[in-house]
Amino acid sequence: MLDTSSSSDDAVPVARIDGLRVMFATRRGAIEGVRDVSFDIGAGETVCVVGESGSGKSVSALSLMRLVEFGGGEIAGGRVLFDRGYGAAPVDLAQLDQAAMRAIRGAEIGMIFQEPMTALNPVFTIERQLTEGLRRHERLRRGAARSRALELLREVRIPEPERRLTQYPHELSGGMRQRVVIAMALACSPRLLIADEPTTALDVTIQAEILALIDRLKRERGTAVLFITHDMGVVAEMADRVVVMFRGEKVEEGPVAQIFDDAAHPYTRALLAAVPRLGAMRGTDAPVPMPLVGRDAVSAEPVRGTDTPLLEVRGLTTRFPVRGGLLRRRVAQVHAVEDIGFTLNRGQTLSLVGESGCGKSTAGRSVLRLVEPMRGSVTLDGQDVLAMSGADLRRTRARMQMIFQDPFASLNPQMPLLEQVAEPLRNFSSMGEAEREARVAELFDRVELPRSFMRRYPHELSGGQRQRVAIARALALEPKLIVADEAVSALDVSVQAQVLNLMLELQAELGLSYLFISHDMGVVERVSHKVAVMYLGRIVEIGPRRAVFEDPRHAYTKALMAAVPVADPRARRTRTPSFKPIPSPIHPLGHEPGPAEYAEVGPGHFVMVSDSGY
Amino acid sequence: MTETGFTEALRDDGPDEPPRGRWRDVWAQFARHGGAVAGGGFLVFVTLAVLVGPLIWTTDPQTLDIRAKNLRPIWTGLWAADASVSWAHPFGTDNLGRDMLAQMIAGGRASLAVGWAAMLLSLVIGTAIGVVAGFFRRLDGVLMRLTDLFLALPILPLLLVAVTLFRQPLRASFGPEGGMFILIVAVIGVTSWMPTARIVRGDVLALKEREFVLAARSLGTTPGRIMLRHLLPNVLSPIMVSATLGLATAIITESALSFLGVGFPSDFPTWGKMLADAVPRMVEYPERVLLPGIAISLTVLGVNYMGDGLRDALDPRIRQR
Amino acid sequence: ERGSDGEVRILYHQAPSILNTYLSSGTKDVQAASLVLEPLARYDETATLVPYLATEVPTLENGGVSEDLTTITWSLRDDILWSDGTPMTAEDVVFSAAFCMSPEGGCSWRSNYDGVADVTAVDEHTVRVTFDAPKPFPYGPFVGAQAPIIQKAQFEDCLGAAAVSCTEENFAPIGTGPFVVTDFRPNDVITFAANENYRDPEKPAFATVTFKGGGDEMAAARAVLETGEYDYAWNTQLAPDVLDQMAQSGEGEIIAAFGTLVERIEMNLTDPSPDLPEGERSTVAHPHPFLTEEPVRRALSMAIDRELLTEVGYGQAGRPTCNLVAAPESFASDNTACLEQDIEGARALLEEAGWTDSDGDGVREKDGERLSLVFQTSTNAVRQDFQALIKQWWSEIGVETELRNIDGSVFFGADPASPDTFQKFYADVEMYANLFDGTDPQSYLARYRCGEEPKPDTQWQGTNINRFCSEEYDALLDELAQTAEPARRQEIAKTLNDMLTADSMVIVPLVHRGRVSAKSNTLGGVVLNVWDSELWNIADWTREEG
Amino acid sequence: MLTYTIRRLILAVPTLIFISFVVFMLLQLAPGDPLAQVPLTVPPEVRAQMREALGLGEPPLVQYGKWLWQLFVLEPQIFVDWATRESWLLGWLPDTALYSGELRVISWQTRSPVLDIVLQRLPQTLWVVGLAYVVGILISLPIGIYSAYRQYSVFDQAGTFVTMVGFSIPPFFTGPLLIVIFSVGLGWLPSIYDTTHRVTDWDSFVVQLRQMIMPVMVLALQITAQFARYMRAATLDNLRQDYVRTARAKGLPEAVVVGVHVVRNSMIPVVTVIALGVPSIFGGAIITETIFKVNGIGQLLITALFANDLPMVMTLTFIFAVLIVVFNLIADVLYGLLDPRIRYD
Ligand SMILES: Nc1ncnc2c1ncn2[C@@H]1O[C@H](COP(=O)(O)OP(=O)(O)OP(=O)(O)O)[C@@H](O)[C@H]1O
Ligand SMILES: Nc1ncnc2c1ncn2[C@@H]1O[C@H](COP(=O)(O)OP(=O)(O)OP(=O)(O)O)[C@@H](O)[C@H]1O
Ligand SMILES: [Mg+2]
Ligand SMILES: [Mg+2]
Ligand code: NI
């Protein structure tokens, strides 16, 4: 066990975790969530805790709040010293009773939770949830609490704060919700702010804003920040010091620059290597698998593909009806995908990037006709997919498959994996039971999963393994086209890297074409041959990956690139990004936006010149 | 830990122990649930008792022994020395001298058979309608209005109609008791599927938005298979709850039917009917209400606990935890 | 003294739904209405006619009935006031007849006015009824609780089809009886108050009556016998051991009296086999395969222990009987032969008739026909006990029985579409009870006339349930209709009764059932009368110190 | 939301008409005879006449049409007339005289307008069944919440046991049992409900209370059993949600976290279940009403059924169907109101 003791011993730290050990009582007996973890956080300092999923980051944070107890955990050892200010001696939170903790929680330690979507109570207004803590800890009256809440909302830069107060969580966008959660955590000006993956679920643009916000708070108020993330880009952007955790233990700790430049621990190095860094592919045309520490050297051969088109999409438009009125007639339409066109070559990857809600998924699904497009043409191998009847379409589906964002959600929790992978075979071929099983076993080999997993259930696998199963399932019928909708977004970096490599490898071997949908620019840069940037249902810029990334022309593309955190602490941005909120894609019936017009700015590199709404 | 130990950890980590057989697993999880085992055990006991009981206790439940009427169960002798008891009738006899033990056994057989069959029927109808309504938007309105219709139907006339129309043909082909059994099961089933349908529909509405259903569609799975293979296993838990309540309701409804004279022939005992018949004399002969009453309650409780356990055991997510 | 005893609480487990006797559909309504509406004369507890609103009962002797038996002349008391204070006149009496006889009115007790050609008011206090044929027993109109006098002034606009829209009138008829309706909630509660204008200034002793309906016999008996919440409960027909147990609480007592009600088994002389085409089942076209054999019927009867049935089912409130007409005394035949159970004799009888159990399955057969019966009755705890017992006895003589019980509303309904009515008789034997109103069994016995059997042509309506047919019987019936002399009438009636029962066993009487009711120990003056409304003398009821 | 409600209401009309038609045809098919209670001494010709007088001779479709007309044209007229004449709300309007004495929906048993009787029966049904419902809810919700909060505790286990036993024991047993204990044995409570009792002062209120206790308890037992299960499940679901942790992180006491945050969310499904059960209040509790002689709607229905009083059964069933459809709608709307995430367009 390596031990790097804290480097900043000059002042009394706000919080000091010392030999923390947390046990969970489960049906299989007690398990250790966190083992002997120690670190401390000083005032005005951001300590980032990084590590894979399940490495104990959240448990450590929850222990600081003494909230682990409510999740069935128990602090089995160690001390959690917290300096309550006023020069008093630090108290050991681990020994405090819950009543005393309640006075500290929310008032002196604020916490931002991982999931902005679920961290707010859906049935209470923002005002109610924001003022609750204030009224309790600071004994404010209703009016005073309200004005303080308004102040907080302004502080976190939420537009139209007055209106927000009366709204419900679901009426806010993810970014706004996360900002409300932050405001809530800041309500009583805590000395320590714990942020547990505050941006993981968010778009790059919103992420950039929130990171800037937390950073500003730290600087302006001198709040101690414990920042938990597994995104190295964010770490580089935020951290003063970094704590690396692995399977419940702390493996390394040090100043951010030291960790990035000169990581001592192999795990840290492996982790850093797995991060796709924007710009890493500068100067190359074709995707190359990522070099991974500790793995057998993967062939670093670039995957070139061919130049013969497989999929041609022209003028694809998909709109969703908004129904209303007594008779539930269509009153308006969501213009989810508006007049997009692209060509995908055999053995190549076309990436769709853009912010949440810009229509990437809808585009992908329209191609497979999982949603019915309104017009346009989709030609696969010379056959018009949109013109097909039900039976034909079903047969064609064998040649185009989809991998979904959430590997857990896209697998049936009640079905053994064998069955799930065998499902397409069952649907399309007349194979016998044994034959099918053999084929599934082959597929498991193909995606490097042990055959013994065939009898397992999805929840028994890790995220990466599940996504491999999803890939195996998509491969079962040997399709030509795979639509990968955020196929790696939910995975840990290291796992993500492996899945990406696997996909590239399969592409090289089987000549697959991918329609790769992602909002992670780093990933997109790594895997694509061509990139299409979407905004508000339209492709605003499309071209070879190299051209688009190295020479973005459209204003939106530029802004998007700028928002991506760079996994390099020296390249920190200083300016606060400001994004325009995306306009509504809902238009009244009969609204016909003009056709998208493009200008060719380079070979195969087109930029939209008509109004994109940006 | 070695260096490769850490970097190897970058590989996917998941549980590595060899998987056990699926049914072994289910059983192991089930066995861990104390209540489930007790409930299941009781059900097995009752089922065995009513099936092999008549072989051991050969007294005919319908034979009247008017001289031995109103005997108390043998255990009343413990505190009331002057109670009339007889080892020939350990559970006592009723007011016409029919043996209570034999009636309990025969009644249990009828009640359990009706309960299970009617419950299964109502589950099948309810689940089918619920799944279809939830899955096909276009059928939803119609099916839910159909549910309303059935909720509004007055049961008694329905029963009388059914008895009038079908008793004779059913009696001709299945005999008086068999025919009535089918009729009762059908009527209870047909009039009690609505809550199940509603609940299942609600769950399916939510489930079909889940990605794995979309995934199945993209794999070319037909709607029928999606419903059968993907949706159905995932609505098992509400179905289990319906099943528990359904069994209790079916057993009790059956007794209400015999009460109204549209049930089994009057000399054909069921627990529900024994309970109803004994109510007027419950002060003098409390055992006559208690025996069938306790039997019904324990059965329902047993099914409830077993349902809990089974639900946990069948859900692979809970099973592993 | 009127009104001095406060409230009396009466419980009927069937709730009255209307208080106009003529539109009522059951005994409960008639009895509730009898607190308000009164006839000209009624039967007392000994089945003798006593005048009520009339000054005397018209007879041949006193000249009230004409020699040719076609008119009867009633003279009314002149001191009778309606509860609204107006005097009752002959016009009201004439109107009452008109009300019930109007064809669209749907009068339930129309049969009381059968054969009436004309009703005229001779003067203000005299009414003459003319029949279209000689009527040896002219006490149908205006006699008994089912033919009371209603007020013309009140019901004038409710004649015929308009009767149904007169809700207010039907719910609160103005009467001459001891009480007036203060509140009527159909099928629930009626409250009555003493009638200020009642002819006897001392009566009624109770100021108010609460007449509650609903529940079941069990609860009704309990409320009187065990909790003492009510003073009087009607028809507490329960197993004798249950009643006895309840009576031990000492709050009240059980009272019983015998009328003409006889629980019997009827044998189907036609073939109810479901294999026959619909429309021919249970019709005279197809005689029953074995119930047409007298020895079989007799054997079935002999196997029954009527004493035991009575003890199990009715206790004090029943007597074993072998007669269809078991009361009044003067009309009851003296059959007792059937009272002794004779299993051996029954077996021998069957054996002799060629019914033997040749294949050893416990059921006798002859010429490929098995002695296997479907035995139906209405749903009722006592009847089900009877069925079980009888099934047992019949099995002892080698007869197989399938029991069937049918909800009373279907069994006793007359829906021609239902296969389960007692008239349709789609079974081999069935059990129910029947009685006749008043004291004269003529129309009762006339039910078994040839041609009166229910059949498809008559929408399965008809009274000859057994499909019994005997010229001799019909001839005797005709004679009865012509005979006025009481002794001769009694003799003919007994013969007819025997022809149906002791001689042929087409009808197997089981129990002569009494009426049981429960009364509180603190209630005085109750005289249980089975020939008329049970509440006939409520004016005389008083509160006594328990 | 409003348009959604209106749309559903409009759709409800054909549904209800269809339901009423099906019910009518069912009742036509059903064996049974309105004259079943007429004593057997009444001769067949008289029965035939009585049948004519009830309008039974007409073809079923004519009868159905008549019923529809009476219920949807005449009865509303009568209501409007009454409203403008006597009600305190609209009494100031000029009296209308829409109804001119046509035949209303007449019960065959009582020869009186069905709706008048129904109105007469409503109070006791609402008092007893409604109160039982309220009591059941009030008892079951805390039990459910606490059972979930302390899942697998002794309290939870005992709660499950008692509620399941409560559910599996039929009221035709519990009713007489209570009567035997409290009315016969102890003499504390009346076994017969007095529907004419008026609450005017404290003493009469006590009387009313005493006569309601037993029927209310019998009914509440079953209701409690069901709702406690629902509430427990819903609370368990919500206790696992992230927002609970957020609330705790704010330093809120457990009472607020569970009692406000969790309960408010758990109530969403439960409230709709409760709303769906409301029609059964109006439908009465047939067995319990009969046992305690409450003579409410349930008893009215059962007596009408046994007497084959077609117009009464028809009308009651129809009212019940209306309630079912309406409360289905209310449940859906409530769902939308309680859960701000749900929006109907
Ligand atoms: N309530 C619980 N019961 C049992 N085990 C738990 C519980 N909560 C956490 N654990 C275990 O503790 C370990 C650490 O979990 P923790 O949530 O801290 O991971 P994390 O680093 O926050 O991961 P992620 O990036 O996915 O949020 C995991 O192995 C997990 O299985
Ligand atoms: N079934 C649907 N009905 C109505 N509107 C829809 C539907 N599906 C998507 N939309 C709308 O279409 C637009 C595009 O959605 P889409 O899911 O394609 O975005 P996305 O780019 O995939 O976003 P994300 O990154 O969040 O997945 C959004 O405004 C969304 O609200
Ligand atoms: Mg975490
Ligand atoms: Mg998407
Ligand atoms: Ni009765």
Side-chain angles (χ1 to χ4, degrees), chain A residues 139-203:
Chain A
R139 310 245 161 253
L140 294 184
R141 305 195 144 270
R142 200 192 177 110
R146 190 185 149 84
S147 44
R148 176 89 180 94
L150 267 177
E151 225 173 89
L152 282 166
L153 289 183
R154 289 209 185 88
E155 213 165 321
V156 297
R157 304 257 161 87
I158 284 191
E160 300 180 79
E162 286 87 356
R163 203 156 74 82
R164 303 295 165 227
L165 281 185
T166 60
Q167 282 179 313
Y168 289 92
H170 71 278
E171 296 173 286
L172 307 184
S173 72
M176 285 201 247
R177 254 183 266 180
Q178 192 62 303
R179 274 180 276 188
V180 169
V181 176
I182 294 173
M184 224 148 72
L186 295 177
C188 302
S189 312
R191 294 168 53 75
L192 171 64
L193 179 67
I194 304 172
D196 188 355
E197 318 221 10
T199 58
T200 307
L202 302 178
D203 273 344

Side-chain angles (χ1 to χ4, degrees), chain A residues 394 423 456-457 459-460 498, chain B residues 10 15 17 22 220 230 316:
Chain A
R394 225 170 67 81
E423 185 157 355
R456 292 199 170 168
Y457 288 88
H459 70 274
E460 296 175 84
Q498 292 164 57
Chain B
L10 281 181
E17 70 258 52
R22 182 175 181 181
H230 291 278

Side-chain angles (χ1 to χ4, degrees), chain A residues 203 318-322 334-337 354-365 371 405 485-486 517-519 534 537 584-586, chain B residues 209:
Chain A
D203 273 344
T318 304
R319 295 176 189 164
F320 296 106
V322 177
V334 184
H335 292 227
V337 169
E355 266 170 280
S356 179
C358 69
K360 307 182 296 290
S361 298
T362 308
R365 287 172 192 193
V371 297
Q405 164 164 18
D485 189 356
E486 314 260 15
I517 297 173
S518 178
H519 61 242
M534 284 188 71
S584 162
I586 302 179
Chain B
E209 299 303 325

Side-chain angles (χ1 to χ4, degrees), chain C residues 13-14 215-217 234-237 380 513:
Chain C
H13 67 262
Q14 287 172 4
D216 51 28
E217 289 94 337
W234 164 79
N235 195 6
T236 51
Q237 174 57 236
N380 163 310
R513 282 172 53 187

Side-chain angles (χ1 to χ4, degrees), chain C residues 392-413:
Chain C
Q392 166 104 350
W393 290 322
W394 284 352
S395 77
E396 286 172 27
I397 61 165
V399 176
E400 179 187 66
T401 314
E402 177 193 324
L403 302 185
R404 180 188 292 169
N405 54 312
I406 297 155
D407 182 60
S409 70
V410 176
F411 189 65
F412 294 119

Side-chain angles (χ1 to χ4, degrees), chain A residues 24 26 31 33 52-60 71-72 114 197 230:
Chain A
F24 287 97
T26 66
I31 57 163
E52 300 283 284
S53 183
S55 57
K57 306 183 296 288
S58 299
V59 170
S60 310
Q114 201 159 352
E197 318 221 10
H230 61 239

